[in-house]
Amino acid sequence: DTAVSQTPKYLVTQMGNDKSIKCEQNLGHDTMYWYKQDSKKFLKIMFSYNNKELIINETVPNRFSPKSPDKAHLNLHINSLELGDSAVYFCASSKDGNEQFFGPGTRLTVL
Amino acid sequence: AQSVTQLGSHVSVSEGALVLLRCNYSSSVPPYLFWYVQYPNQGLQLLLKYTTGATLVKGINGFEAEFKKSETSFHLTKPSAHMSDAAEYFCAIEGIQGAQKLVFGQGTRLTINP
């Protein structure tokens, strides 16, 4: 039973391309998040959505656009990829602001 | 603004020895505090959390942490290390209760020596 799933697990692409990462949770949670973990393992929140509405939007380039088609999904679209976007991106979800459950991560490598 | 500092990016202990991972926080409001563990190539898993009430919190896998307001600390301990404890550990704070925004420390890599 996968709680929070992400696809793809690995993503290798060229600079300038546009790519998407998908996230789905089957926990019935109402809030979903995207985090970025850099090469030094530092984790930082990017966005969060509650019931399909954006509630947290950290200082992230507008090349990054989250989309939540429904409560169970939060996708991350990245335009014009840059070398500095290389990182591991984690999706997470929670209910009523309680414990956040994390997905397995998507390792993005921009060449 | 809330922040978390983990002292020591790398801690190495022998199997069976005490594990102590240090976390200090800064917050202008009563914080919620968390410890997460990340095994290689995996996502984060919650070990334990402090919200209110008892300051000694017990978590999974034999870990516990004590919230000390006077020291602004939330150190993680385990009496006897096991090889399977080798992982990256993250302390996190939710400084505005209910804001659902976790701020993480820089992580501590725990190595267990046989």
Side-chain angles (χ1 to χ4, degrees), chain A residues 55-106:
Chain A
I55 56 172
I56 294 176
N57 185 351
E58 291 295 290
T59 309
V60 177
N62 57 15
R63 297 183 295 103
F64 290 79
S65 54
K67 294 282 193 306
S68 182
D70 55 58
K71 276 180 25 173
H73 296 84
L74 180 62
N75 304 323
L76 183 64
H77 188 75
I78 315 170
N79 289 327
S80 303
L81 278 156
E82 300 177 356
L83 292 177
D85 298 332
S86 295
V88 181
Y89 292 85
F90 286 100
C91 178
S93 71
S94 71
K95 185 171 181 62
D96 300 330
N98 290 314
E99 175 188 350
Q100 293 186 26
F101 289 79
F102 284 77
T106 295

Side-chain angles (χ1 to χ4, degrees), chain B:
Chain B
Q2 290 74 40
S3 67
V4 169
T5 302
Q6 292 182 237
L7 300 175
S9 59
H10 187 197
V11 170
S12 183
V13 302
S14 298
E15 191 174 17
L18 172 71
V19 175
L20 171 61
L21 304 182
R22 299 178 187 272
C23 173
N24 287 89
Y25 70 89
S26 174
S27 178
S28 57
V29 298
Y32 287 179
L33 292 159
F34 306 80
W35 274 100
Y36 281 85
V37 60
Q38 183 180 26
Y39 297 104
N41 299 314
Q42 294 188 28
L44 279 75
Q45 180 182 5
L46 182 69
L47 275 178
L48 50 79
K49 65 180 178 182
Y50 168 79
T51 54
T52 58
T55 56
L56 182 62
V57 181
K58 295 187 185 299
I60 62 171
N61 302 338
F63 284 93
E64 62 183 37
E66 186 170 11
F67 171 66
K68 291 188 176 181
K69 184 178 178 181
S70 61
E71 298 178 10
T72 60
S73 69
F74 191 57
H75 301 331
L76 181 70
T77 60
K78 181 174 180 177
S80 177
H82 192 272
M83 295 299 290
S84 61
D85 294 327
E88 193 88 21
Y89 291 79
F90 293 93
C91 184
I93 187 171
E94 185 179 295
I96 302 175
Q97 295 156 15
Q100 303 176 15
K101 175 182 171 181
L102 285 175
V103 174
F104 285 88
Q106 67 270 43
T108 298
R109 178 179 298 176
L110 177 64
T111 302
I112 312 296
N113 302 313

